[in-house]
Every structure is written in structure tokens, then in C-alpha cells.
Amino acid sequence: MYAIFKLAAAALVALPLVSAATVAPGQGQAPKCSLSQANLAADLPANLTALLPPSNASLSQVTIGFGTQNYTCTNGSYVNVGAVAQLFDISCIQELPAISSALSQAINELEQVDGESLLNFLTTLAKMGRFQLANHYFDTSIGTLSPVFNFQVSGGDYVIGKKLEDIPDPFNPAVNVDWLLLTAAAGDAAKYVVREQTAGGQPPASCSVENETLQAPYAAKYWFFA
Ligand SMILES: *[C@@H]1O[C@H](CO)[C@@H](O)[C@H](O)[C@H]1NC(C)=O
Ligand SMILES: *[C@@H]1O[C@H](CO)[C@@H](O)[C@H](O)[C@H]1NC(C)=O
Ligand SMILES: *[C@@H]1O[C@H](CO)[C@@H](O)[C@H](O)[C@H]1NC(C)=O
Ligand SMILES: *[C@@H]1O[C@H](CO)[C@@H](O)[C@H](O)[C@H]1NC(C)=O
Ligand SMILES: *[C@@H]1O[C@H](CO)[C@@H](O)[C@H](O)[C@H]1NC(C)=O
């Protein structure tokens, strides 16, 4: 079931520990492989170029994130109350077709999976500590509940994002969370963050138990630009 991720994990584990590039202080550990061929525009359907950051922004990290989107049942609908995820360096495998444009198809299997298998899988990934670049969570340190990308785990700083664009997933928006372009509202780990190639994370359309919480597993590609 997780063939694609087993392949990815094997590729990651087999890699040498040398870094192919340097990054500015704050951006976390340098990508393990060169990002010169990495191209966000090539990942995006032609009509989603609104998700591209300004052309003078420079790509600093390409990652895959695994975690949960959290919801609370409010008045019959699940309202998003944040997310928790771990982000991993995929610079060495991002050119594989299954990791680039076909990623969301490949990882759409995730939504079929029960929570325990997903947790086991995440634990395995987390053990590949040297590939973890950042922790993703939400906090209210800038006044409103906002997404934080904290690169402390790989020696960097943090960035708190503010939405510039929010576009429904072009493949299966009822199942996969939206694709986003964020700009930095605080922190210097990045100037822009793009979330795309999402898999899972959406809640059921309605709920009946007020204040009931829900964690919906999801995965996505996150791109960081300086
Ligand atoms: C992009 O094109 C697809 C296919 O034609 C369409 O379903 C989708 O709504 C479009 N998205 C935007 C943001 O224009
Ligand atoms: C990119 O250009 C904009 C204006 O065109 C400027 O405000 C910004 O500082 C530039 N960013 C970088 C990273 O050079
Ligand atoms: C819930 O919905 C009802 C009816 O639409 C509305 O009167 C009420 O203010 C809503 N409550 C909250 C907490 O949104
Ligand atoms: C989201 O759910 C996870 C798993 O239950 C939990 O650890 C985390 O604290 C929750 N975060 C938010 C922002 O609700
Ligand atoms: C739901 O949570 C809110 C805020 O904590 C609280 O005011 C309300 O009484 C709760 N409603 C129910 C039905 O538990």
C-alpha cells in the first residue's frame, strides 16, 4: 500500500550525508541534493499559477509533510482549528515523477488508511531524523491562529504564514485540503510557503455532536522560498 513511500524512504536512507548546497541562517539544514532542477511551476496545473511566489523569490527547501488537520464540530460543521505535521527534505527524490506531478495521486491512498497504520508510518519517517526539516503547527503568537513552520529541529528558525492564495484541490477537493500560497507574517525561515499536491485532510461535510474533535490525516508538498 505504501509502495511509493517505502521507495522514498529507501532512497532517503541510502543517501550520503553530504549537503549539496548551503542555505542562509534560519532556513534549516541545507537540502541534501541540489534544487537546481526543482520547479514548482511544473508541479502546478496551468491555471494555478496564482500559487507561484514572485519570480525574484528563491527556492530554499522542497519538503513533504505528514500529519493531521484538526477540526471541532461547531453548529453542524467541522471548523478547522489547526494542523500538526512533520516536514521532510525530499530534494533527492523530488524529480521522480511519482514524487513530483503524480504525488497526490500516489498519496491519495492515505485517506483509505486507518489511523494506526498511518501513525506507524509517520513514526518510521520520524526516525529518519536527519531528513526532518521542520515541525508544522498552529499558534496564536501573532494574535490570530496561524500556521507555524519551525525549523529548529534542523538548526533553523521559524516562519509564521499568512494566506495570499487559497485554491481548492484541483483533483478531489472534497477529500484533499486546499492548495495555498502563504507569505511570512513573522520569522525569517522563509518569505513564501506553498502547499500543493495535497492528499487527504478534509473532514466529513457535516457533524452532529457539538464540540466533537476530529483529526484528519493528510500529506502535502510544502515549498519554501527565501
Ligand atoms: C482549473 O481548471 C480545472 C479544469 O478545467 C477546473 O476544474 C478548475 O476549476 C480550474 N481552477 C481554477 C482555480 O481556475
Ligand atoms: C522582489 O521584488 C519586490 C518588488 O518587485 C521587492 O519588494 C522585494 O524586496 C524583492 N524580493 C527579493 C527577495 O528580492
Ligand atoms: C448556529 O446556527 C444557528 C442557526 O443558524 C445560529 O442562530 C447560531 O448563532 C449559530 N451558532 C454559532 C455558535 O455559530
Ligand atoms: C491536533 O491534534 C493532534 C492529535 O490529536 C494534537 O496533538 C494537537 O495538539 C492538535 N493541535 C491543534 C492545534 O488542535
Ligand atoms: C462547546 O464549547 C464551547 C466553548 O468551549 C462552550 O461554550 C459550549 O458550551 C460547548 N457546547 C457544548 C454543547 O458542549
Side-chain angles (χ1 to χ4, degrees):
M1 163 169 333
Y2 286 124
I4 182 64
F5 291 122
K6 284 184 179 149
L7 184 72
L12 288 170
V13 168
L15 289 166
L17 271 166
V18 294
S19 270
T22 56
V23 293
Q27 293 171 5
Q29 194 172 351
K32 302 286 187 198
C33 294
S34 168
L35 293 179
S36 61
Q37 300 301 311
N39 183 357
L40 173 58
D43 257 26
L44 299 174
N47 65 351
L48 298 190
T49 52
L51 291 168
L52 290 172
S55 57
N56 61 354
S58 63
L59 181 62
S60 55
Q61 303 280 9
V62 182
T63 75
I64 188 166
F66 297 96
T68 63
Q69 294 284 328
N70 291 9
Y71 299 90
T72 300
C73 182
T74 304
N75 233 1
S77 305
Y78 282 111
V79 174
N80 189 280
V81 292
V84 179
Q86 295 185 333
L87 272 54
F88 298 89
D89 180 358
I90 55 167
S91 58
C92 298
I93 53 173
Q94 64 85 29
E95 288 174 65
L96 298 177
I99 297 290
S100 55
S101 54
L103 180 72
S104 67
Q105 271 166 277
I107 61 184
N108 261 323
E109 288 180 1
L110 281 174
E111 91 231 14
Q112 318 286 349
V113 168
D114 70 83
E116 197 177 346
S117 332
L118 184 64
L119 201 63
N120 289 339
F121 178 69
L122 292 175
T123 305
T124 305
L125 265 183
K127 283 183 185 152
M128 309 182 323
R130 61 198 169 96
F131 287 93
Q132 193 187 348
L133 277 177
N135 285 297
H136 175 39
Y137 51 89
F138 278 63
D139 76 21
T140 54
S141 60
I142 62 165
T144 54
L145 187 67
S146 303
V148 182
F149 300 89
N150 189 333
F151 286 76
Q152 191 173 23
V153 68
S154 69
D157 295 335
Y158 70 92
V159 61
I160 300 182
K162 190 182 90 177
K163 263 186 218 177
L164 292 180
E165 295 287 340
D166 184 332
I167 297 178
D169 173 82
F171 302 114
N172 192 347
V175 166
N176 304 328
V177 286
D178 292 1
W179 294 17
L180 307 172
L181 169 62
L182 310 175
T183 187
D188 66 1
K191 289 202 174 78
Y192 298 94
V193 184
V194 175
R195 179 178 84 183
E196 49 105 39
Q197 301 287 328
T198 56
Q202 293 284 33
S206 65
C207 56
S208 53
V209 180
E210 186 71 5
N211 289 345
E212 185 181 44
T213 60
L214 174 78
Q215 281 87 42
Y218 85 108
K221 254 170 112 172
Y222 287 93
W223 299 67
F224 293 86
F225 294 83

